[in-house]
Amino acid sequence: GNSVTQMEGPVTLSEEAFLTINCTYTATGYPSLFWYVQYPGEGLQLLLKATKADDKGSNKGFEATYRKETTSFHLEKGSVQVSDSAVYFCALILTGANNLFFGTGTRLTVIP
Amino acid sequence: DVKVTQSSRYLVKRTGEKVFLECVQDMDHENMFWYRQDPGLGLRLIYFSYDVKMKEKGDIPEGYSVSREKKERFSLILESASTNQTSMYLCATNPSGPDTQYFGPGTRLTVL
């Protein structure tokens, strides 16, 4: 089947620390991969995406590389800020499909 | 910018009531989705629609129905609300095909 597994939170970091949130996937076809972010009290919004192997998505200092050999799409940021505190969701969609498969989400809290 | 609006941010209903959650998008997108979000479970797809009057079941359709009479509006209906339907409900939309989904702000429903 199709599924996404991401590291369990919560994750608490100090400002300017390095962030990694692990995400691995299982897919029956060739997926596109996404990271969505949900800030407190808001809906989800797209953070970055990659549509094929070895693609790197990047946005707002975050980046993730589509690794087909390890079926992974880990999210990284070199120096987090308090404003990055949010819940992060990894997701996939199969070529030709309409619906996303989401991971369970990882809550990140950044303290000053 | 894509705008997805949901009729209520917070809703409190009693067991057995019929509940309507409305979602409206302004970008002429073909696809619309209803998810519920629960802690530790991530987002789970309830129903989606790929055209007016068309609908498909997602992963957890039991206890829900949907209506799409106009392209811009997708309604989620709880025929007889139960306490286990207390959750955050998120609407999303995208153009046809496997592409980025745009989310509304969510409706937090409490069933007493």
Side-chain angles (χ1 to χ4, degrees), chain B residues 21-61:
Chain B
L21 303 181
E22 299 266 303
C23 176
V24 178
Q25 51 107 352
D26 68 353
M27 282 303 292
D28 203 38
H29 286 173
E30 280 75 19
N31 295 340
M32 296 188 76
F33 306 82
W34 275 107
Y35 295 91
R36 63 176 283 176
Q37 180 182 6
D38 299 289
L41 297 177
L43 274 73
R44 294 178 292 168
L45 182 66
I46 305 171
Y47 267 97
F48 70 96
S49 168
Y50 51 90
D51 203 350
V52 175
K53 297 191 187 297
M54 306 301 288
K55 63 185 179 184
E56 285 203 22
K57 294 180 180 179
D59 299 320
I60 51 165

Side-chain angles (χ1 to χ4, degrees), chain A residues 37-45 89, chain B residues 2-11 21-26 32-37 43 87-93 101-109:
Chain A
V37 59
Q38 185 179 32
Y39 297 105
E42 298 183 15
L44 275 70
Q45 54 185 272
F89 292 90
Chain B
V2 176
K3 190 162 185 187
V4 183
T5 57
Q6 295 184 226
S7 49
S8 306
R9 292 300 299 272
Y10 300 94
L11 209 52
L21 303 181
E22 299 266 303
C23 176
V24 178
Q25 51 107 352
D26 68 353
M32 296 188 76
F33 306 82
W34 275 107
Y35 295 91
R36 63 176 283 176
Q37 180 182 6
L43 274 73
S87 186
M88 171 71 88
Y89 290 87
L90 293 167
C91 174
T93 178
Q101 290 186 13
Y102 299 88
F103 284 80
T107 296
R108 185 166 293 283
L109 172 68

